[in-house]
Amino acid sequence: MLYYRPHETWTARSDWRIRLPPGEDVASIALTSSFVICTTTANYLRVYTLHGLPYRLSRLKHSPAVTCAAWRDYVLTVGNGPVAPTGHTTLLYSIENVRKNSTCQDGDTVALPGPTGNGNGSGSGELKSVFFSDRGDPCIYDSDGVLLVLEHWRVPGQARWVPLLDTRRLERLASGRKEESYWPVAVAGEKLHCIILKGGERHPYFPRPLLSEFDLCVPVAAAPPGARPGAGGDGDGDGDGDGDEGGEAGRAAAREAGRLEEAFVRKSLLHSLAADAVASAPSRVRVRAQRAALRQQELEIDKTLLQLLNVECREGEERGMKALEIVRLMRDRSGRMMEAARRIAE
């Protein structure tokens, strides 16, 4: 049985129940502002309106169904695919626009971590969570603690999973003194909102704890940007007792460059996601507002590149080629950023 009860309604009776055919049970559910969606043990995708009217019914191509998620008119379903060489089942996903009755992605692979190769017998990664961000982009969270977002998912055959955050690289876990994992709840405002699970806990407990949030940080460097090597440790004896001011200045510049490089990649990714949303937006008024936001994002990207250019110019003339490469990446065509770059180079 599928039961739905809204919290806000102007009618006297708002809840409804639908009995599924004998032998068929609900496997997963999702809810948007327009539809109630469920996958069943009969491998059906059933879509209802908020008042219980059957809207769509289809059989999933990949069985059995694993889970589903939804946002507005879009439905993401995950099912089992063929067996991989590691002996684990490959998970496949599809994204459909229910209202337009069209398919965005059909039977593509969920990008999960493969064998670790470290001898711990983990074999293959697992899918822990599937959801949409506050801006409507599909996200997954895997057993390695990596949050990924699906880029270019509205264009058939062009989607790819891009990491947004590797929780293993958080400063609170870098020391190794804490043993905790995270239960993702939402990606909103360029942050991951989650519940912290202590020790060996695998699911949130009751009463529900407060949500914690972590800034998104694309794993582009070998160490967390801004982290000091050996911080909190016992040292490795590299120093010679004289302070090594030149070496420390070089390490500080490298940390600053790493932080700015991560910011550039992250802001470029968020700009790409926003640009895809603008391209598919039906409302002209909404498009104008989103285009203004896109221009602001491009400005922020150029500011980050200017800061990175400043770091490279301070390192000397041997960084000239990289500095020129940074200038070529700027998006501004008015000439203001180019003038600012010239002043920094001087």
Side-chain angles (χ1 to χ4, degrees), residues 190-341:
E190 299 187 19
K191 295 179 182 292
L192 169 65
H193 301 262
C194 62
I195 296 174
I196 298 178
L197 304 178
K198 301 293 185 179
E201 294 177 345
R202 298 176 60 88
H203 304 283
Y205 49 86
F206 183 83
R208 188 186 69 181
L210 296 176
L211 294 181
S212 301
E213 59 183 36
F214 300 106
D215 293 329
L216 301 180
C217 181
V218 179
V220 298
R228 293 182 299 170
D234 56 1
D236 55 5
D238 288 343
D240 56 4
D242 297 331
D244 192 15
E245 295 182 358
E248 179 60 29
R251 287 191 291 271
R255 290 195 296 269
E256 178 68 8
R259 182 186 67 82
L260 293 171
E261 288 170 355
E262 184 279 331
F264 167 68
V265 174
R266 170 169 43 83
K267 292 178 181 179
S268 298
L269 171 61
L270 296 176
H271 176 271
S272 174
L273 295 174
D276 289 347
V278 169
S280 63
S283 173
R284 296 304 176 188
V285 176
R286 187 182 307 162
V287 166
R288 284 196 294 270
Q290 290 179 342
R291 284 178 177 171
L294 278 180
R295 288 192 293 269
Q296 181 61 34
Q297 286 182 316
E298 292 174 355
L299 179 61
E300 294 299 325
I301 293 174
D302 284 349
K303 288 181 178 179
T304 301
L305 288 174
L306 283 177
Q307 294 174 351
L308 186 58
L309 176 66
N310 187 38
V311 173
E312 296 300 328
C313 289
R314 291 200 307 262
E315 293 300 306
E317 295 182 358
E318 64 274 9
R319 300 290 187 92
M321 293 301 295
K322 185 174 181 180
L324 179 61
E325 187 178 54
I326 292 173
V327 172
R328 289 174 175 172
L329 292 174
M330 292 183 178
R331 301 168 182 259
D332 178 65
R333 295 296 179 264
S334 65
R336 291 181 299 175
M337 290 298 173
M338 191 65 66
E339 178 63 21

Side-chain angles (χ1 to χ4, degrees), residues 130-171:
V130 179
F131 57 96
F132 281 82
S133 70
D134 64 330
R135 298 180 179 178
D137 295 305
C139 298
I140 62 172
Y141 187 79
D142 63 32
S143 55
D144 280 357
V146 179
L147 171 71
L148 301 101
V149 65
L150 192 61
E151 185 183 16
H152 303 316
W153 58 272
R154 295 176 178 85
V155 183
Q158 298 298 314
R160 58 183 179 182
W161 294 101
V162 183
L164 279 176
L165 175 66
D166 188 346
T167 58
R168 298 170 299 180
R169 299 159 57 89
L170 295 175
E171 291 185 7

Side-chain angles (χ1 to χ4, degrees), residues 86 88 113-126 143-144 168:
T86 59
H88 294 79
T116 58
N118 56 9
N120 63 3
S122 60
S124 183
E126 298 178 357
S143 55
D144 280 357
R168 298 170 299 180

Side-chain angles (χ1 to χ4, degrees), residues 1 98 109 194 275 319:
M1 176 183 292
V98 176
T109 304
C194 62
R319 300 290 187 92

